[in-house]
PDB file of all heavy atoms in Angstrom:
ATOM      1  N   ASP A  28      -0.175  11.957  -6.003  1.00  0.00           N
ATOM      2  CA  ASP A  28       0.227  10.640  -5.404  1.00  0.00           C
ATOM      3  C   ASP A  28      -0.219  10.499  -4.012  1.00  0.00           C
ATOM      4  O   ASP A  28      -0.413  11.540  -3.289  1.00  0.00           O
ATOM      5  CB  ASP A  28       1.736  10.472  -5.518  1.00  0.00           C
ATOM      6  CG  ASP A  28       2.328  10.301  -6.889  1.00  0.00           C
ATOM      7  OD1 ASP A  28       1.628   9.803  -7.718  1.00  0.00           O
ATOM      8  OD2 ASP A  28       3.470  10.734  -7.129  1.00  0.00           O
ATOM      9  N   VAL A  29      -0.283   9.261  -3.566  1.00  0.00           N
ATOM     10  CA  VAL A  29      -0.587   8.983  -2.112  1.00  0.00           C
ATOM     11  C   VAL A  29       0.655   8.253  -1.618  1.00  0.00           C
ATOM     12  O   VAL A  29       1.033   7.191  -2.218  1.00  0.00           O
ATOM     13  CB  VAL A  29      -1.870   8.084  -1.912  1.00  0.00           C
ATOM     14  CG1 VAL A  29      -2.060   7.828  -0.440  1.00  0.00           C
ATOM     15  CG2 VAL A  29      -3.077   8.864  -2.595  1.00  0.00           C
ATOM     16  N   THR A  30       1.173   8.719  -0.451  1.00  0.00           N
ATOM     17  CA  THR A  30       2.382   7.978  -0.013  1.00  0.00           C
ATOM     18  C   THR A  30       2.109   7.525   1.387  1.00  0.00           C
ATOM     19  O   THR A  30       1.242   8.065   2.188  1.00  0.00           O
ATOM     20  CB  THR A  30       3.597   8.983   0.093  1.00  0.00           C
ATOM     21  OG1 THR A  30       3.273  10.080   0.959  1.00  0.00           O
ATOM     22  CG2 THR A  30       4.000   9.431  -1.342  1.00  0.00           C
ATOM     23  N   VAL A  31       2.701   6.357   1.738  1.00  0.00           N
ATOM     24  CA  VAL A  31       2.595   5.732   3.082  1.00  0.00           C
ATOM     25  C   VAL A  31       4.077   5.738   3.552  1.00  0.00           C
ATOM     26  O   VAL A  31       4.852   5.063   2.980  1.00  0.00           O
ATOM     27  CB  VAL A  31       1.978   4.339   2.979  1.00  0.00           C
ATOM     28  CG1 VAL A  31       1.940   3.803   4.383  1.00  0.00           C
ATOM     29  CG2 VAL A  31       0.564   4.399   2.494  1.00  0.00           C
ATOM     30  N   ASP A  32       4.325   6.391   4.659  1.00  0.00           N
ATOM     31  CA  ASP A  32       5.649   6.521   5.150  1.00  0.00           C
ATOM     32  C   ASP A  32       6.621   6.977   4.069  1.00  0.00           C
ATOM     33  O   ASP A  32       7.770   6.394   3.984  1.00  0.00           O
ATOM     34  CB  ASP A  32       6.146   5.274   5.804  1.00  0.00           C
ATOM     35  CG  ASP A  32       5.569   5.041   7.258  1.00  0.00           C
ATOM     36  OD1 ASP A  32       4.811   5.912   7.703  1.00  0.00           O
ATOM     37  OD2 ASP A  32       6.023   4.098   7.900  1.00  0.00           O
ATOM     38  N   GLY A  33       6.158   7.755   3.149  1.00  0.00           N
ATOM     39  CA  GLY A  33       6.965   8.331   2.126  1.00  0.00           C
ATOM     40  C   GLY A  33       7.094   7.436   0.867  1.00  0.00           C
ATOM     41  O   GLY A  33       7.788   7.810  -0.059  1.00  0.00           O
ATOM     42  N   ASN A  34       6.402   6.285   0.876  1.00  0.00           N
ATOM     43  CA  ASN A  34       6.463   5.384  -0.295  1.00  0.00           C
ATOM     44  C   ASN A  34       5.165   5.457  -1.047  1.00  0.00           C
ATOM     45  O   ASN A  34       4.106   5.361  -0.468  1.00  0.00           O
ATOM     46  CB  ASN A  34       6.731   3.930   0.220  1.00  0.00           C
ATOM     47  CG  ASN A  34       8.050   3.736   0.956  1.00  0.00           C
ATOM     48  OD1 ASN A  34       9.089   3.559   0.283  1.00  0.00           O
ATOM     49  ND2 ASN A  34       8.012   3.800   2.280  1.00  0.00           N
ATOM     50  N   THR A  35       5.323   5.588  -2.362  1.00  0.00           N
ATOM     51  CA  THR A  35       4.117   5.829  -3.182  1.00  0.00           C
ATOM     52  C   THR A  35       3.327   4.466  -3.465  1.00  0.00           C
ATOM     53  O   THR A  35       3.878   3.469  -3.748  1.00  0.00           O
ATOM     54  CB  THR A  35       4.544   6.303  -4.573  1.00  0.00           C
ATOM     55  OG1 THR A  35       5.371   7.563  -4.390  1.00  0.00           O
ATOM     56  CG2 THR A  35       3.378   6.699  -5.436  1.00  0.00           C
ATOM     57  N   LEU A  36       1.949   4.660  -3.275  1.00  0.00           N
ATOM     58  CA  LEU A  36       1.066   3.575  -3.632  1.00  0.00           C
ATOM     59  C   LEU A  36       0.988   3.339  -5.096  1.00  0.00           C
ATOM     60  O   LEU A  36       1.071   4.363  -5.915  1.00  0.00           O
ATOM     61  CB  LEU A  36      -0.294   3.838  -3.107  1.00  0.00           C
ATOM     62  CG  LEU A  36      -0.509   3.901  -1.496  1.00  0.00           C
ATOM     63  CD1 LEU A  36      -1.910   4.116  -1.209  1.00  0.00           C
ATOM     64  CD2 LEU A  36       0.073   2.689  -0.853  1.00  0.00           C
ATOM     65  N   GLY A  37       0.806   2.120  -5.612  1.00  0.00           N
ATOM     66  CA  GLY A  37       0.735   1.831  -6.937  1.00  0.00           C
ATOM     67  C   GLY A  37      -0.608   1.285  -7.301  1.00  0.00           C
ATOM     68  O   GLY A  37      -1.542   2.206  -7.462  1.00  0.00           O
ATOM     69  N   SER A  38      -0.827   0.048  -7.542  1.00  0.00           N
ATOM     70  CA  SER A  38      -2.155  -0.496  -7.776  1.00  0.00           C
ATOM     71  C   SER A  38      -3.071  -0.316  -6.609  1.00  0.00           C
ATOM     72  O   SER A  38      -2.749  -0.770  -5.500  1.00  0.00           O
ATOM     73  CB  SER A  38      -2.082  -1.942  -8.214  1.00  0.00           C
ATOM     74  OG  SER A  38      -1.338  -2.032  -9.391  1.00  0.00           O
ATOM     75  N   LEU A  39      -4.221   0.307  -6.802  1.00  0.00           N
ATOM     76  CA  LEU A  39      -5.147   0.573  -5.656  1.00  0.00           C
ATOM     77  C   LEU A  39      -6.348  -0.316  -5.743  1.00  0.00           C
ATOM     78  O   LEU A  39      -6.772  -0.809  -6.692  1.00  0.00           O
ATOM     79  CB  LEU A  39      -5.601   2.003  -5.659  1.00  0.00           C
ATOM     80  CG  LEU A  39      -4.437   3.088  -5.687  1.00  0.00           C
ATOM     81  CD1 LEU A  39      -5.027   4.460  -5.881  1.00  0.00           C
ATOM     82  CD2 LEU A  39      -3.649   3.031  -4.388  1.00  0.00           C
ATOM     83  N   ASN A  40      -6.955  -0.523  -4.491  1.00  0.00           N
ATOM     84  CA  ASN A  40      -8.270  -1.206  -4.425  1.00  0.00           C
ATOM     85  C   ASN A  40      -8.288  -2.545  -5.048  1.00  0.00           C
ATOM     86  O   ASN A  40      -9.344  -2.818  -5.710  1.00  0.00           O
ATOM     87  CB  ASN A  40      -9.324  -0.221  -5.109  1.00  0.00           C
ATOM     88  CG  ASN A  40      -9.547   0.995  -4.349  1.00  0.00           C
ATOM     89  OD1 ASN A  40      -9.250   1.097  -3.131  1.00  0.00           O
ATOM     90  ND2 ASN A  40     -10.111   2.029  -5.031  1.00  0.00           N
ATOM     91  N   VAL A  41      -7.324  -3.401  -4.775  1.00  0.00           N
ATOM     92  CA  VAL A  41      -7.374  -4.766  -5.272  1.00  0.00           C
ATOM     93  C   VAL A  41      -8.104  -5.492  -4.155  1.00  0.00           C
ATOM     94  O   VAL A  41      -7.681  -5.721  -3.057  1.00  0.00           O
ATOM     95  CB  VAL A  41      -5.951  -5.317  -5.439  1.00  0.00           C
ATOM     96  CG1 VAL A  41      -6.034  -6.805  -5.889  1.00  0.00           C
ATOM     97  CG2 VAL A  41      -5.145  -4.541  -6.333  1.00  0.00           C
ATOM     98  N   LEU A  42      -9.401  -5.964  -4.578  1.00  0.00           N
ATOM     99  CA  LEU A  42     -10.286  -6.466  -3.566  1.00  0.00           C
ATOM    100  C   LEU A  42     -10.060  -8.014  -3.284  1.00  0.00           C
ATOM    101  O   LEU A  42      -9.900  -8.705  -4.237  1.00  0.00           O
ATOM    102  CB  LEU A  42     -11.717  -6.294  -4.014  1.00  0.00           C
ATOM    103  CG  LEU A  42     -12.895  -6.539  -2.983  1.00  0.00           C
ATOM    104  CD1 LEU A  42     -12.772  -5.546  -1.843  1.00  0.00           C
ATOM    105  CD2 LEU A  42     -14.184  -6.454  -3.680  1.00  0.00           C
ATOM    106  N   ALA A  43      -9.984  -8.355  -2.074  1.00  0.00           N
ATOM    107  CA  ALA A  43      -9.908  -9.726  -1.651  1.00  0.00           C
ATOM    108  C   ALA A  43     -11.096 -10.074  -0.835  1.00  0.00           C
ATOM    109  O   ALA A  43     -11.831  -9.257  -0.318  1.00  0.00           O
ATOM    110  CB  ALA A  43      -8.602  -9.978  -0.817  1.00  0.00           C
ATOM    111  N   SER A  44     -11.311 -11.356  -0.531  1.00  0.00           N
ATOM    112  CA  SER A  44     -12.469 -11.794   0.189  1.00  0.00           C
ATOM    113  C   SER A  44     -12.355 -11.405   1.630  1.00  0.00           C
ATOM    114  O   SER A  44     -13.411 -11.276   2.402  1.00  0.00           O
ATOM    115  CB  SER A  44     -12.723 -13.292   0.094  1.00  0.00           C
ATOM    116  OG  SER A  44     -11.593 -14.004   0.594  1.00  0.00           O
ATOM    117  N   ASN A  45     -11.162 -11.125   2.087  1.00  0.00           N
ATOM    118  CA  ASN A  45     -10.961 -10.750   3.529  1.00  0.00           C
ATOM    119  C   ASN A  45     -10.268  -9.395   3.655  1.00  0.00           C
ATOM    120  O   ASN A  45      -9.548  -9.201   4.618  1.00  0.00           O
ATOM    121  CB  ASN A  45     -10.265 -11.878   4.268  1.00  0.00           C
ATOM    122  CG  ASN A  45      -8.931 -12.211   3.664  1.00  0.00           C
ATOM    123  OD1 ASN A  45      -8.657 -11.920   2.529  1.00  0.00           O
ATOM    124  ND2 ASN A  45      -8.107 -13.055   4.467  1.00  0.00           N
ATOM    125  N   GLY A  46     -10.353  -8.618   2.703  1.00  0.00           N
ATOM    126  CA  GLY A  46      -9.745  -7.286   2.795  1.00  0.00           C
ATOM    127  C   GLY A  46      -9.457  -6.641   1.422  1.00  0.00           C
ATOM    128  O   GLY A  46      -9.942  -7.005   0.396  1.00  0.00           O
ATOM    129  N   ILE A  47      -8.523  -5.680   1.462  1.00  0.00           N
ATOM    130  CA  ILE A  47      -8.155  -4.903   0.338  1.00  0.00           C
ATOM    131  C   ILE A  47      -6.581  -4.793   0.241  1.00  0.00           C
ATOM    132  O   ILE A  47      -6.026  -4.629   1.295  1.00  0.00           O
ATOM    133  CB  ILE A  47      -8.821  -3.511   0.401  1.00  0.00           C
ATOM    134  CG1 ILE A  47     -10.263  -3.534   0.312  1.00  0.00           C
ATOM    135  CG2 ILE A  47      -8.200  -2.650  -0.785  1.00  0.00           C
ATOM    136  CD1 ILE A  47     -10.885  -2.160   0.394  1.00  0.00           C
ATOM    137  N   ILE A  48      -6.074  -4.856  -0.870  1.00  0.00           N
ATOM    138  CA  ILE A  48      -4.618  -4.679  -1.108  1.00  0.00           C
ATOM    139  C   ILE A  48      -4.384  -3.426  -1.887  1.00  0.00           C
ATOM    140  O   ILE A  48      -4.978  -3.255  -2.941  1.00  0.00           O
ATOM    141  CB  ILE A  48      -4.056  -5.919  -1.831  1.00  0.00           C
ATOM    142  CG1 ILE A  48      -4.175  -7.195  -1.043  1.00  0.00           C
ATOM    143  CG2 ILE A  48      -2.619  -5.669  -2.261  1.00  0.00           C
ATOM    144  CD1 ILE A  48      -3.691  -8.465  -1.775  1.00  0.00           C
ATOM    145  N   HIS A  49      -3.391  -2.683  -1.464  1.00  0.00           N
ATOM    146  CA  HIS A  49      -2.827  -1.548  -2.274  1.00  0.00           C
ATOM    147  C   HIS A  49      -1.334  -1.864  -2.388  1.00  0.00           C
ATOM    148  O   HIS A  49      -0.695  -1.964  -1.353  1.00  0.00           O
ATOM    149  CB  HIS A  49      -3.020  -0.276  -1.548  1.00  0.00           C
ATOM    150  CG  HIS A  49      -4.413   0.033  -1.097  1.00  0.00           C
ATOM    151  ND1 HIS A  49      -5.518   0.247  -1.963  1.00  0.00           N
ATOM    152  CD2 HIS A  49      -4.946   0.198   0.170  1.00  0.00           C
ATOM    153  CE1 HIS A  49      -6.567   0.563  -1.320  1.00  0.00           C
ATOM    154  NE2 HIS A  49      -6.315   0.514  -0.014  1.00  0.00           N
ATOM    155  N   THR A  50      -0.807  -1.974  -3.580  1.00  0.00           N
ATOM    156  CA  THR A  50       0.583  -2.206  -3.734  1.00  0.00           C
ATOM    157  C   THR A  50       1.326  -0.930  -3.439  1.00  0.00           C
ATOM    158  O   THR A  50       0.838   0.163  -3.592  1.00  0.00           O
ATOM    159  CB  THR A  50       1.002  -2.673  -5.236  1.00  0.00           C
ATOM    160  OG1 THR A  50       0.679  -1.714  -6.099  1.00  0.00           O
ATOM    161  CG2 THR A  50       0.231  -3.948  -5.503  1.00  0.00           C
ATOM    162  N   ILE A  51       2.641  -1.132  -3.012  1.00  0.00           N
ATOM    163  CA  ILE A  51       3.416   0.022  -2.636  1.00  0.00           C
ATOM    164  C   ILE A  51       4.813  -0.109  -3.067  1.00  0.00           C
ATOM    165  O   ILE A  51       5.320  -1.298  -3.182  1.00  0.00           O
ATOM    166  CB  ILE A  51       3.379   0.119  -1.019  1.00  0.00           C
ATOM    167  CG1 ILE A  51       3.997   1.481  -0.603  1.00  0.00           C
ATOM    168  CG2 ILE A  51       4.021  -1.036  -0.270  1.00  0.00           C
ATOM    169  CD1 ILE A  51       3.593   1.855   0.829  1.00  0.00           C
ATOM    170  N   GLY A  52       5.459   1.097  -3.437  1.00  0.00           N
ATOM    171  CA  GLY A  52       6.797   0.975  -4.060  1.00  0.00           C
ATOM    172  C   GLY A  52       7.996   0.790  -3.163  1.00  0.00           C
ATOM    173  O   GLY A  52       9.185   0.772  -3.647  1.00  0.00           O
ATOM    174  N   GLY A  53       7.764   0.635  -1.896  1.00  0.00           N
ATOM    175  CA  GLY A  53       8.819   0.417  -0.958  1.00  0.00           C
ATOM    176  C   GLY A  53       8.441  -0.482   0.209  1.00  0.00           C
ATOM    177  O   GLY A  53       7.254  -0.609   0.458  1.00  0.00           O
ATOM    178  N   VAL A  54       9.432  -1.109   0.848  1.00  0.00           N
ATOM    179  CA  VAL A  54       9.192  -1.919   2.015  1.00  0.00           C
ATOM    180  C   VAL A  54       9.093  -0.917   3.237  1.00  0.00           C
ATOM    181  O   VAL A  54       9.985  -0.171   3.457  1.00  0.00           O
ATOM    182  CB  VAL A  54      10.235  -2.987   2.237  1.00  0.00           C
ATOM    183  CG1 VAL A  54       9.910  -3.750   3.517  1.00  0.00           C
ATOM    184  CG2 VAL A  54      10.196  -3.945   0.994  1.00  0.00           C
ATOM    185  N   LEU A  55       7.997  -1.055   3.992  1.00  0.00           N
ATOM    186  CA  LEU A  55       7.868  -0.224   5.230  1.00  0.00           C
ATOM    187  C   LEU A  55       8.542  -0.896   6.378  1.00  0.00           C
ATOM    188  O   LEU A  55       8.412  -2.090   6.664  1.00  0.00           O
ATOM    189  CB  LEU A  55       6.357  -0.033   5.488  1.00  0.00           C
ATOM    190  CG  LEU A  55       5.417   0.393   4.297  1.00  0.00           C
ATOM    191  CD1 LEU A  55       4.010   0.506   4.789  1.00  0.00           C
ATOM    192  CD2 LEU A  55       5.952   1.806   3.771  1.00  0.00           C
ATOM    193  N   LEU A  56       9.325  -0.118   7.055  1.00  0.00           N
ATOM    194  CA  LEU A  56      10.152  -0.661   8.144  1.00  0.00           C
ATOM    195  C   LEU A  56       9.771   0.004   9.427  1.00  0.00           C
ATOM    196  O   LEU A  56       9.908   1.202   9.523  1.00  0.00           O
ATOM    197  CB  LEU A  56      11.608  -0.513   7.838  1.00  0.00           C
ATOM    198  CG  LEU A  56      12.149  -1.252   6.667  1.00  0.00           C
ATOM    199  CD1 LEU A  56      13.548  -0.887   6.362  1.00  0.00           C
ATOM    200  CD2 LEU A  56      12.041  -2.743   6.900  1.00  0.00           C
ATOM    201  N   PRO A  57       9.286  -0.747  10.427  1.00  0.00           N
ATOM    202  CA  PRO A  57       8.996  -0.160  11.680  1.00  0.00           C
ATOM    203  C   PRO A  57      10.225   0.355  12.398  1.00  0.00           C
ATOM    204  O   PRO A  57      11.342  -0.129  12.092  1.00  0.00           O
ATOM    205  CB  PRO A  57       8.279  -1.288  12.466  1.00  0.00           C
ATOM    206  CG  PRO A  57       8.804  -2.544  11.867  1.00  0.00           C
ATOM    207  CD  PRO A  57       9.006  -2.178  10.375  1.00  0.00           C
ATOM    208  N   PRO A  58      10.060   1.293  13.305  1.00  0.00           N
ATOM    209  CA  PRO A  58      11.273   1.754  14.078  1.00  0.00           C
ATOM    210  C   PRO A  58      12.067   0.707  14.698  1.00  0.00           C
ATOM    211  O   PRO A  58      11.576  -0.278  15.353  1.00  0.00           O
ATOM    212  CB  PRO A  58      10.741   2.655  15.102  1.00  0.00           C
ATOM    213  CG  PRO A  58       9.369   3.128  14.569  1.00  0.00           C
ATOM    214  CD  PRO A  58       8.930   1.947  13.810  1.00  0.00           C
TER     215      PRO A  58
END
């Protein structure tokens, strides 16, 4: 698995015309 701030990525490499989306299993909250 790949985690971002402890949350696991789901669907990877969803290409958009102005970037890339990776879905994630949790909401990331800044400090």
Side-chain angles (χ1 to χ4, degrees):
D28 291 329
V29 180
T30 61
V31 178
D32 280 5
N34 296 279
T35 303
L36 294 184
S38 299
L39 304 174
N40 292 339
V41 180
L42 191 63
S44 60
N45 56 347
I47 296 177
I48 295 174
H49 309 294
T50 64
I51 192 164
V54 177
L55 308 178
L56 296 171

